[in-house]
Amino acid sequence: NDIHSVDLKTSLEKLNTVYFNIKLNSGIYYTKEGNISLKGIKGVSQNKTFIEFNTNESDKHLFHIGKVGGTVAERTYESNTLESVALVLSSSKRTISNTLLIVGASHKSIIRDVKFVMNAPYTSITASELSQMALNEKLIDMANVAIAFDGSSELTILENIFTLSDIGIKFSTNTDFVNIRNYTSWNGNNGFATVYFKDTTSSNILFDGNQSWSQGLYGVYAADETGYNSFVNVKFENLRIEQLNESIKKNEKVLATSFRFGDYTHIPNLIFSNVMLGGTGNGFRFGKVKDGRISIRDTEVFYDKNIMRNLAFGIEFLPEATLKVEFSSTQLPQDLPKKKKNGKVV
């Protein structure tokens, strides 16, 4: 519990030669080195056991599971676990592009009852930086990230997760079967997004249980397609997005958007169910899409007469598109346009 004592990385590396699952009592455990290969760690609770990554460097990470950027052939099959702790990034000067947990090439990892804290002044995006990111997608990678999927992982479970960070969850490379249950996100005044799909080919991703996302410029931000199939069997369920950034505007209307998607050839099955979107941002924005299926069920985009917005739902069907967009028991505010170009919405 002393920042000047033996680094946590050194302690864990020695313990892991004998023990796989390490239990930590209440207190603060420090590391200045980071880059720790996670086997199994369980604390007392996310409000009792703290692991603090103290660094003034950028582009570093605290923990990784499996090989970062690894392939299917390089997966670890150890069923790694992280439970009942808080991971904290601290710094005495501005740091960027850091990550608290990277899920690399791994199988059946479980992250449960964990809080990710990266919202101090030196570890958070400034208003000026956020404005630049909104204009230049290449700058998004300077954001600090709580959880990044970077490696061919499969069958990962995240449960009772709380992130306070520029970006909550980032999909950097293809991953398959992720269940994210009971997820709370606070992005802060200048946060970028709760979820960022830098890679759009990840499949079988389920957000369910209780999903409460607040602040930031976007709820979900997805880049243009990185492969033919995008968002295969991806579902957002029981979700509320609110209090999005009202400061950044384009043509006097807020840029903030709950779901911002890019251009795609094929979206096989993307589902939104029981979703409530606050009145401080736009609703659903899709770029150019050729074919696939998008389903929006039991959803409401709320109205706020004091916030100038651009759209409740927008999409452009590419020529000869076979895309199907289904609305069921969904209410979109009458003050906002439903923008579609070509095709049909049923």
Side-chain angles (χ1 to χ4, degrees):
N1 290 336
D2 185 344
I3 195 171
H4 301 295
S5 63
V6 176
D7 194 281
L8 179 64
K9 180 178 182 179
T10 301
S11 300
L12 289 176
E13 286 177 344
K14 291 183 178 180
L15 287 169
N16 282 147
T17 62
V18 180
Y19 305 102
F20 184 85
N21 291 305
I22 308 298
K23 291 188 177 181
L24 301 179
N25 289 322
S26 300
I28 305 174
Y29 299 81
Y30 295 96
T31 177
K32 293 183 178 180
E33 295 185 36
N35 190 23
I36 301 171
S37 178
L38 176 68
K39 301 299 183 182
I41 291 178
K42 185 174 183 178
V44 177
S45 84
Q46 60 178 251
N47 295 313
K48 295 286 187 179
T49 304
F50 301 87
I51 298 175
E52 183 172 323
F53 182 27
N54 183 266
T55 182
N56 285 332
E57 297 184 64
S58 296
D59 199 20
K60 301 295 181 180
H61 71 271
L62 172 53
F63 285 113
H64 60 268
I65 300 175
K67 183 178 179 180
V68 177
T71 64
V72 173
E74 296 171 308
R75 276 181 187 159
T76 175
Y77 288 86
E78 297 177 322
S79 298
N80 307 87
T81 59
L82 179 65
E83 297 186 55
S84 303
V85 297
L87 306 186
V88 182
L89 176 66
S90 64
S91 178
S92 59
K93 70 176 187 179
R94 181 74 174 104
T95 59
I96 62 174
S97 308
N98 285 321
T99 306
L100 286 175
L101 174 64
I102 298 178
V103 181
S106 55
H107 183 77
K108 286 192 173 182
S109 297
I110 298 176
I111 298 95
R112 178 183 290 128
D113 188 32
V114 180
K115 179 161 59 176
F116 298 79
V117 184
M118 317 174 76
N119 61 342
Y122 286 127
T123 59
S124 299
I125 295 171
T126 66
S128 175
E129 289 168 343
L130 182 61
S131 296
Q132 294 174 53
M133 283 184 191
L135 298 173
N136 185 354
E137 193 175 69
K138 293 180 180 179
L139 297 177
I140 299 174
D141 283 337
M142 71 181 291
N144 288 317
V145 178
I147 305 167
F149 286 86
D150 189 358
S152 185
S153 64
E154 183 180 49
L155 298 169
T156 306
I157 294 176
L158 279 65
E159 184 174 6
N160 195 26
I161 302 301
F162 184 12
T163 62
L164 301 95
S165 53
D166 298 337
I167 293 174
I169 299 174
K170 178 180 179 180
F171 292 90
S172 298
T173 57
N174 175 270
T175 188
D176 193 21
F177 283 103
V178 182
N179 187 187
I180 303 166
R181 171 167 289 188
N182 301 335
Y183 173 35
T184 303
S185 169
W186 292 357
N187 274 137
N189 293 331
N190 302 313
F192 183 73
T194 292
V195 179
Y196 171 37
F197 286 94
K198 183 176 181 178
D199 175 274
T200 67
T201 64
S202 292
S203 54
N204 302 300
I205 313 297
L206 172 61
F207 292 82
D208 69 352
N210 300 311
Q211 301 283 327
S212 177
W213 305 355
S214 300
Q215 305 174 315
L217 190 59
Y218 301 97
V220 170
Y221 185 97
D224 290 340
E225 68 175 36
T226 54
Y228 176 76
N229 286 313
S230 297
F231 311 108
V232 181
N233 291 333
V234 173
K235 185 177 184 180
F236 299 90
E237 182 176 66
N238 302 334
L239 167 63
R240 179 185 67 192
I241 299 176
E242 61 181 350
Q243 302 175 36
L244 295 181
N245 186 296
E246 301 174 27
S247 301
I248 299 178
K249 299 181 180 180
K250 183 178 181 180
N251 298 326
E252 300 184 352
K253 295 182 179 180
V254 294
L255 186 64
T257 304
S258 292
F259 291 99
R260 186 275 183 199
F261 292 90
D263 300 339
Y264 311 104
T265 302
H266 188 50
I267 300 178
N269 191 30
L270 176 59
I271 301 171
F272 306 88
S273 178
N274 192 28
V275 174
M276 184 180 77
L277 306 181
T280 57
N282 298 292
F284 299 84
R285 181 270 188 194
F286 288 86
K288 300 174 182 179
V289 185
K290 185 176 181 180
D291 57 47
R293 177 174 176 267
I294 300 169
S295 178
I296 302 175
R297 311 167 182 166
D298 303 310
T299 291
E300 183 166 3
V301 180
F302 276 84
Y303 167 70
D304 187 333
K305 65 180 181 180
N306 297 315
I307 305 296
M308 294 291 290
R309 296 176 291 168
N310 190 45
L311 54 85
F313 178 87
I315 192 167
E316 180 176 347
F317 292 75
L318 287 171
E320 301 180 358
T322 56
L323 174 69
K324 190 176 188 180
V325 180
E326 301 174 335
F327 290 92
S328 175
S329 301
T330 293
Q331 181 175 333
L332 304 178
Q334 296 303 307
D335 70 308
L336 287 178
K338 275 62 75 178
K339 297 183 178 182
K340 71 175 180 66
K341 184 176 180 180
N342 308 318
K344 295 181 179 179
V345 177
V346 297

